[in-house]
Amino acid sequence: MKLLEERKKVVQYCQLLLKSGLTKGTGGNISIYAPTENCVAISPSGVPYDSLKPEDIVLIDIDGNKIEGNYKPSSEWAMHTEVYKQKPRMKSVVHTHSVFAKTLSCLREDLPAISYLVAVAGKKVACAQYASFGTQELANNALAAMTDSKAVLLANHGLLAAGETVEEAFNIAEEIELCAEVYIRARGVGNPVILDDAEMDYMLERFKSYGKPS
């Protein structure tokens, strides 16, 4: 089976979306890009994650043409492929419907540097302009707001995170959801203090080597 390991990882991390509380039902989607094959392994549309098998993961090319799989690709495939086209270092995309990121996106607000952990994505996480799900307009809006970051809030929708591996993309999705929760809770009791640009520049440098071999 083509891209078997990538398909297995998509299944694994789709199931982790549910276990980690980053989505409900069949919400969200995950992909892994294999550039040497010009092939994206992406979760299927509307299939329960707990029943997913590797052969259910759909293979598409970078333009969205189906190569292999039992189902239709995720309706958000364009958002994934647009990341791979515009951010060549990124090899995985994780899209969640996590509660606090989605709450902030419904306010149409950016996530500021409430914590140094925001630096896993960038200095902040911007909120993209609204567009209907599954459209090229949404993909374009997401990438326009994601220029200096590995994550973006999708207005009235959720969160998109990208990484050089699926492990990194998933970690970014988890950490940004945590930061969104802290920010919203802090605003409920006062005015949270936001870290300044100099501190976030320092954090971005430190995160370049975080978790890497010495």
Side-chain angles (χ1 to χ4, degrees), residues 149-164:
S149 179
K150 293 181 180 179
V152 62
L153 295 169
L154 308 170
N156 300 83
H157 188 153
L159 173 72
L160 188 77
E164 295 183 27

Side-chain angles (χ1 to χ4, degrees), residues 70-197:
N70 296 334
Y71 298 98
K72 294 179 181 178
S74 166
S75 60
E76 302 291 11
W77 65 264
M79 200 159 50
H80 291 247
T81 58
E82 203 64 34
V83 169
Y84 302 136
K85 288 175 183 177
Q86 296 194 34
K87 292 178 173 286
R89 290 182 61 184
M90 301 298 101
K91 301 297 185 292
S92 182
V93 171
V94 172
H95 167 43
T96 77
H97 290 176
S98 49
V99 173
F100 288 94
K102 186 160 187 165
T103 299
L104 195 56
S105 81
C106 289
L107 296 170
R108 306 279 179 98
E109 293 186 20
D110 300 344
L111 174 65
I114 184 68
S115 163
Y116 71 90
L117 287 172
V118 172
V120 297
K123 286 188 181 181
K124 67 174 186 178
V125 178
C127 184
Q129 292 185 359
Y130 180 79
S132 300
F133 85 92
T135 62
Q136 184 62 45
E137 182 184 8
L138 177 59
N140 294 344
N141 290 355
L143 269 293
M146 202 179 177
T147 51
D148 299 319
S149 179
K150 293 181 180 179
V152 62
L153 295 169
L154 308 170
N156 300 83
H157 188 153
L159 173 72
L160 188 77
E164 295 183 27
T165 63
V166 67
E167 291 82 2
E168 182 189 15
F170 195 88
N171 177 66
I172 290 169
E174 285 192 303
E175 297 291 9
I176 296 305
E177 172 63 7
L178 171 63
C179 291
E181 178 177 359
V182 170
Y183 182 53
I184 289 169
R185 290 183 183 275
R187 279 175 50 169
V189 294
N191 295 313
V193 177
I194 306 304
L195 299 177
D196 62 27
D197 276 357

Side-chain angles (χ1 to χ4, degrees), residues 42-56:
I42 189 166
S43 51
S45 179
V47 180
Y49 293 140
D50 56 7
S51 67
L52 276 182
K53 302 181 290 296
E55 57 265 32
D56 298 328

